[in-house]
Amino acid sequence: TLRISWHTRFMRIWRHLLLWLLQTNNYSVFESALQLISHLIAVFPCSKYVTEEGQRIVGGVLIGTGLWIAVTFVMRNVLKYLLSWHGWMFNRHGSLSLTTKIWLVLVKVCSGPKPMLYSFQNSIPRLPVQAFSLLFKIIKSRPLMDDEQYKRMEGLAKDFEKNLGPKLQWYLKLKSWWASNYVSDWWEEYIYLRGRGPIMVNSNYYAMDFLYVIPTTRQAARAGNSIHAIMMYRRKLDRAQIKPLMVLNTIPMCSSQYERMFNTSRVPGVETDVLQHMNESKHIAVYHKGRFFKVWLFYDGRLLLPREIEQQIERILADKSEPHPGEELLAALTAGDRDPWAKARSQFFSRGKNKQSLDSVEKAAFFVTLDDTEQRYDPENSVQSLDSYGKSLLHGKCYDRWFDKSFNLIVFKNGTMGLNAEHSWADAPIVGHLWEHVLSSDPVRLGYTEDGHCKGNPHPNLPGPQRLQWDIPEEGQAVINSSLKVAKALADDVDMHIIPFNDFGKGLIKKCKTSPDGFIQIALQLAHFRDKGKFCLTYEASMTRLFREGRTETVRSCTTQTCDFVRAMMNDKATLKLLKVAAEKHQDLYRLAMTGKGIDRHLFCLYLVSKYLGEDSAFLKEVLSEPWRLSTSQTPLQQVDLFDIKRHPEYVTSGGGFGPVADDGYGVSYIILGEDLINFHISSKHSSPETDSHRFGSNIRQAMLDMLDLFQFDNKASNK
Ligand SMILES: *[C@@H]1O[C@H](CO)[C@@H](O)[C@H](O)[C@H]1NC(C)=O
Ligand SMILES: *[C@@H]1O[C@H](CO)[C@@H](O)[C@H](O)[C@H]1NC(C)=O
Ligand SMILES: *[C@@H]1O[C@H](CO)[C@@H](O)[C@H](O)[C@H]1NC(C)=O
Ligand SMILES: *[C@@H]1O[C@H](CO)[C@@H](O)[C@H](O)[C@H]1NC(C)=O
């Protein structure tokens, strides 16, 4: 894919140059060089066979190529140098300094027009290893320690800085010189692939459909359009025609996470799983009522059209055959613990038709579930309907999604749909990008006929879907059953709550001159304190894709300043000033995280090095042992231009969510939609006496409203 963008760009420039050389008779720029080249050519023995015109062309090509290589090389390095500056991020909100403006123009010039998905990959800087001082400054500002704990921590930190630290740091520096990102490969392996517990709920996350509109109630038609839209996205991806994500429309983010979106499955192993990516995959795997099907997406050398895919799905829905023994619950293996799955896989699925069928699933472009339940947001019963819908996307029945697949498209019986995505291959914004494309294509560009079918006609002689064959022995079924038991206990424990918060949104928050994300994070702090009567270490995910192969960094969004504000709030003494200070601190931490100056990934890597070296560090153990009892993440809306939020506010994704991260903690995912809507997806565990997602939900709503009140109250006061 990298080659494609390189190649097309090269061809374009090259063609222009040739044309120009041939069309004009004025060679002044190149004349001397050309003469030199033709002299050179004349020296070669083959020159007698080449006409003068031919020599000129060859000369032009050589000069063109040389010039092109030189210009690209220079531009790329200048761009790389420019991009390693992050001062632009520290501009005050809404105003750009002169330096930044000049810098932006330079970046634009070096970027060239119409960048493709991987155009910038070689210009994006590497993530540097930070010095300790910064690391410790942030740890020390942690508000959750009393004086005694703080003293102890300081002692440990100083000791680490003097003794073990520098050695570990040296190894990390070494790694950062040869690895394209010193964090990401370890992060993928240790945080995701080595995890031995279930990935369902604990790691996979989901994305939801439109909230208020469902374009068709026909399950097969919805599947037809969305599968087609996904395949169109894959084609764009293969051709690198997706515009890379760019901050301020200019500063490129790394695109490497897109590479394994399709044709990918996580394959269980005994110590660690691996990601298996196929360079070829022309079918999807479909699950319906206990049966697995393989559906070819190409016929006659072209991609099936929406109505043709609908036809294939209709055939599956009409198929009344019974599941083979063990087939119905088979996917529960991907929902339970990893080790039993790895063993069962090599014991029962490494030969014969079981292997063939498993291959068809794992090597599919992606996985589709035709769910036999109905889900939909029901305004009459909004809490219960959304909670059930969210839970269904997160875990379903535990055996009707293939959790190992890079993503599952789930289409419900009444036409609602959603995604469930595996987490190791990429982070949520990547899946979100695909999902935005699908949602914006589905009702608008592809559309439906009046009676709810996909547009177009069925194909008269399309071969039908292929039913996958399984022969699963009793022992294999027993493993499936015990995986299901583990998964079911986990799924039943999930307390999910989704709130479309529409009292106010980004529009009003911006009027308060606060960053929307900061505002929401502080509201979450206030809500959490009211909910549990205490503060807790808070995780907010931010992107580090300004660096090559960057993934995420943690923003520790519970700060001394947010605590001060919350305490004041609790005593009715809160002021706008306290809120502003807290919001500014949050912005600051967020910027540090984005620009590679966060602490958590660095600490994580230091810890791994210490493990490799067999050294124990009391400091690292202690810093890393505290659980994240509040884990939060904003889903950014990336392609705003795809949606006409002003005219059609209903045609927009309602975001997605993830399961609880700590046993007695909350997970909160939120998406800011247009000016007036924020969707919160809250999760926790029923088994914890400390948490209750619905209670936390009403605390969040109240906190948001109370904080807004503060502005109006203060406005009035200052007006007097
Ligand atoms: C896929 O990879 C295999 C093995 O690396 C190679 O033989 C094959 O040609 C590749 N196919 C495509 C379509 O690139
Ligand atoms: C997936 O398979 C398709 C079809 O064989 C191939 O064209 C494409 O390059 C693969 N996509 C990725 C992202 O590897
Ligand atoms: C599914 O959609 C149908 C048709 O719009 C609707 O009547 C039904 O209530 C929906 N089911 C659920 C569970 O919301
Ligand atoms: C597995 O569970 C299914 C459904 O509950 C049951 O019918 C089957 O007998 C069980 N198989 C084994 C081997 O335990």
Side-chain angles (χ1 to χ4, degrees):
T1 26
L2 195 66
R3 248 178 297 128
I4 295 174
S5 60
W6 177 275
H7 186 73
T8 38
R9 223 202 235 195
F10 172 78
M11 288 310 282
R12 203 168 50 222
I13 296 175
W14 194 63
R15 260 199 314 272
H16 279 297
L17 232 130
L18 262 183
L19 268 179
W20 182 75
L21 277 175
L22 290 173
Q23 278 168 0
T24 52
N25 276 322
N26 175 10
Y27 299 136
S28 58
V29 184
F30 291 107
E31 201 155 22
S32 47
L34 262 180
Q35 271 172 5
L36 180 71
I37 297 258
S38 41
H39 281 309
L40 280 177
I41 289 174
V43 178
F44 286 107
C46 64
S47 62
K48 342 184 180 30
Y49 311 110
V50 184
T51 61
E52 208 169 298
E53 188 72 2
Q55 288 181 16
R56 197 178 302 142
I57 294 177
V58 172
V61 168
L62 286 179
I63 295 175
T65 311
L67 209 70
W68 178 79
I69 289 175
V71 168
T72 317
F73 182 80
V74 170
M75 290 288 218
R76 176 167 294 169
N77 280 289
V78 171
L79 187 58
K80 193 168 172 176
Y81 181 75
L82 286 172
L83 290 179
S84 57
W85 182 71
H86 292 120
W88 58 273
M89 196 174 277
F90 296 88
N91 283 296
R92 290 187 60 87
H93 211 74
S95 65
L96 298 178
S97 69
L98 186 65
T99 324
T100 304
K101 280 180 189 154
I102 295 172
W103 179 81
L104 282 173
V105 170
L106 286 176
V107 171
K108 267 221 165 93
V109 168
C110 292
S111 303
K114 279 226 155 186
M116 298 178 81
L117 186 60
Y118 302 109
S119 300
F120 296 116
Q121 288 309 85
N122 291 320
S123 309
I124 293 177
R126 289 174 193 222
L127 180 68
V129 178
Q130 292 301 320
F132 281 140
S133 58
L134 201 64
L135 195 83
F136 294 136
K137 211 171 93 194
I138 304 178
I139 297 174
K140 279 179 192 163
S141 71
R142 223 165 73 164
L144 304 164
M145 287 181 273
D146 59 31
D147 288 347
E148 197 178 315
Q149 284 168 314
Y150 178 76
K151 266 241 146 68
R152 215 177 89 73
M153 198 63 168
E154 199 176 36
L156 287 175
K158 278 198 176 131
D159 176 67
F160 179 76
E161 201 165 8
K162 225 172 46 227
N163 297 317
L164 187 56
K167 184 166 151 200
L168 305 182
Q169 182 83 345
W170 187 81
Y171 277 96
L172 267 195
K173 279 245 163 82
L174 207 63
K175 182 181 176 193
S176 78
W177 289 334
W178 59 260
S180 36
N181 186 302
Y182 81 91
V183 183
S184 290
D185 56 337
W186 283 349
W187 188 252
E188 178 179 309
E189 181 172 350
Y190 288 90
I191 296 298
Y192 297 113
L193 297 178
R194 278 181 184 262
R196 299 292 81 198
I199 57 173
M200 180 196 78
V201 175
N202 292 330
S203 170
N204 285 34
Y205 54 94
Y206 66 85
M208 263 192 181
D209 205 347
F210 302 118
L211 199 53
Y212 304 111
V213 285
I214 303 300
T216 178
T217 52
R218 284 181 199 272
Q219 186 176 20
R222 197 80 203 281
N225 263 4
S226 51
I227 292 169
H228 183 81
I230 292 174
M231 292 305 286
M232 292 306 284
Y233 186 89
R234 187 177 85 165
R235 177 185 299 179
K236 271 176 91 173
L237 183 60
D238 285 343
R239 298 176 180 172
Q241 282 165 346
I242 292 169
K243 196 177 146 217
L245 188 58
M246 291 194 274
V247 188
L248 296 177
N249 243 328
T250 310
I251 308 145
M253 296 259 195
C254 175
S255 302
S256 69
Q257 288 185 47
Y258 287 89
E259 283 164 15
R260 293 174 298 181
M261 181 181 284
F262 292 98
N263 322 348
T264 300
S265 191
R266 176 172 173 157
V267 171
V270 172
E271 230 168 60
T272 174
D273 297 354
V274 290
L275 277 170
Q276 173 184 276
H277 174 82
M278 309 307 294
N279 57 2
E280 217 177 55
S281 173
K282 297 189 184 299
H283 70 278
I284 51 172
V286 180
Y287 179 90
H288 176 242
K289 287 206 170 144
R291 294 97 28 98
F292 287 83
F293 297 85
K294 177 176 187 174
V295 180
W296 292 101
L297 288 176
F298 292 83
Y299 185 70
D300 256 357
R302 64 162 176 84
L303 179 62
L304 295 189
L305 296 170
R307 185 64 184 91
E308 294 161 352
I309 299 174
E310 179 186 357
Q311 176 186 6
Q312 298 292 50
I313 301 295
E314 278 169 339
R315 284 168 168 171
I316 292 175
L317 294 175
D319 186 317
K320 294 282 176 262
S321 60
E322 289 292 313
H324 301 294
E327 183 181 15
E328 182 178 18
L329 307 181
L330 175 63
L333 287 171
T334 67
D337 287 317
R338 303 305 291 174
D339 283 343
W341 172 207
K343 283 189 200 121
R345 190 173 180 277
S346 59
Q347 205 173 346
F348 309 113
F349 297 92
S350 55
R351 282 175 302 280
K353 60 179 166 190
N354 283 353
K355 175 169 171 35
Q356 238 178 11
S357 295
L358 184 65
D359 265 358
S360 296
V361 173
E362 289 180 339
K363 296 181 178 169
F366 57 98
F367 193 86
V368 177
T369 293
L370 301 170
D371 202 296
D372 54 4
T373 67
E374 297 190 345
Q375 305 290 343
R376 176 154 308 174
Y377 170 61
D378 174 6
E380 303 281 297
N381 183 10
S382 75
V383 173
Q384 208 269 325
S385 65
L386 276 178
D387 297 359
S388 146
Y389 178 20
K391 267 176 86 77
S392 182
L393 288 176
L394 187 64
H395 53 63
K397 293 176 186 157
C398 304
Y399 59 81
D400 52 0
R401 284 110 184 73
W402 198 270
F403 294 100
D404 287 1
K405 211 57 196 152
S406 54
F407 67 89
N408 284 234
L409 171 71
I410 299 153
V411 185
F412 295 100
K413 205 172 161 190
N414 59 351
T416 311
M417 63 177 185
L419 283 189
N420 180 293
E422 203 275 318
H423 210 324
S424 62
W425 61 275
D427 299 307
I430 305 294
V431 173
H433 196 272
L434 160 74
W435 196 231
E436 286 172 12
H437 169 88
V438 174
L439 288 182
S440 66
S441 305
D442 170 37
V444 183
R445 251 166 290 161
L446 296 174
Y448 295 91
T449 61
E450 243 153 53
D451 52 355
H453 284 290
C454 297
K455 292 185 177 161
N457 294 311
H459 198 292
N461 39 17
L462 196 60
Q466 194 181 327
R467 177 79 201 277
L468 296 184
Q469 303 297 315
W470 306 94
D471 180 10
I472 304 168
E474 284 278 309
E475 310 150 68
Q477 291 176 36
V479 181
I480 295 175
N481 284 7
S482 70
S483 278
L484 181 59
K485 209 167 145 208
V486 171
K488 202 119 185 47
L490 183 61
D492 288 343
D493 200 15
V494 174
D495 179 6
M496 195 79 213
H497 182 39
I498 295 161
I499 327 174
F501 177 84
N502 52 12
D503 293 65
F504 64 93
K506 186 177 74 187
L508 211 51
I509 299 176
K510 282 211 156 150
K511 278 205 184 111
C512 302
K513 297 214 164 52
T514 317
S515 94
D517 190 63
F519 188 95
I520 295 171
Q521 284 291 330
I522 296 169
L524 289 176
Q525 290 298 319
L526 176 58
H528 186 272
F529 192 84
R530 284 177 175 163
D531 194 84
K532 283 185 168 177
K534 61 186 176 203
F535 297 110
C536 73
L537 195 58
T538 306
Y539 182 111
E540 180 187 6
S542 76
M543 283 194 259
T544 47
R545 283 165 61 201
L546 290 172
F547 299 96
R548 205 183 302 179
E549 288 180 25
R551 289 194 66 159
T552 55
E553 174 61 274
T554 310
V555 179
R556 297 177 168 226
S557 54
C558 174
T559 61
T560 315
Q561 290 77 358
T562 57
C563 293
D564 288 346
F565 172 75
V566 170
R567 280 197 203 94
M569 227 26 210
M570 298 306 285
N571 298 324
D572 282 330
K573 286 199 183 116
T575 59
L576 270 188
K577 180 140 184 278
L578 281 174
L579 177 58
K580 288 256 147 95
V581 170
E584 225 133 79
K585 177 72 187 180
H586 175 264
Q587 277 290 88
D588 228 38
L589 288 180
Y590 202 93
R591 288 170 178 146
L592 288 174
M594 292 265 299
T595 49
K597 300 192 182 74
I599 54 167
D600 282 280
R601 299 301 175 267
H602 188 181
L603 283 171
F604 160 77
C605 289
L606 286 171
Y607 179 75
L608 271 187
V609 177
S610 79
K611 284 277 143 193
Y612 273 130
L613 298 179
E615 305 257 17
D616 252 354
S617 158
F619 167 71
L620 289 175
K621 243 191 214 150
E622 184 131 351
V623 203
L624 293 169
S625 66
E626 180 95 4
W628 304 97
R629 290 212 171 79
L630 180 56
S631 196
T632 70
S633 169
Q634 190 200 143
T635 315
L637 191 63
Q638 298 163 69
Q639 303 155 87
V640 185
D641 46 323
L642 286 184
F643 301 94
D644 186 356
I645 295 181
K646 278 233 170 67
R647 289 232 310 275
H648 295 290
E650 70 280 13
Y651 278 132
V652 79
T653 156
S654 33
F658 51 87
V661 175
D663 283 340
D664 47 4
Y666 289 114
V668 182
S669 153
Y670 50 93
I671 182 165
I672 300 174
L673 297 162
E675 300 296 297
D676 310 302
L677 178 64
I678 302 168
N679 273 337
F680 289 97
H681 299 246
I682 305 159
S683 62
S684 65
K685 293 191 174 180
H686 286 301
S687 59
S688 166
E690 280 197 50
T691 57
D692 174 343
S693 294
H694 293 82
R695 186 184 70 205
F696 192 41
S698 39
N699 278 322
I700 292 176
R701 175 180 290 275
Q702 199 55 50
M704 295 282 289
L705 292 174
D706 289 352
M707 274 169 58
L708 188 73
D709 259 358
L710 198 62
F711 279 95
Q712 281 160 358
F713 173 75
D714 228 76
N715 279 346
K716 273 179 224 144
S718 61
N719 283 346
K720 270 182 205 165

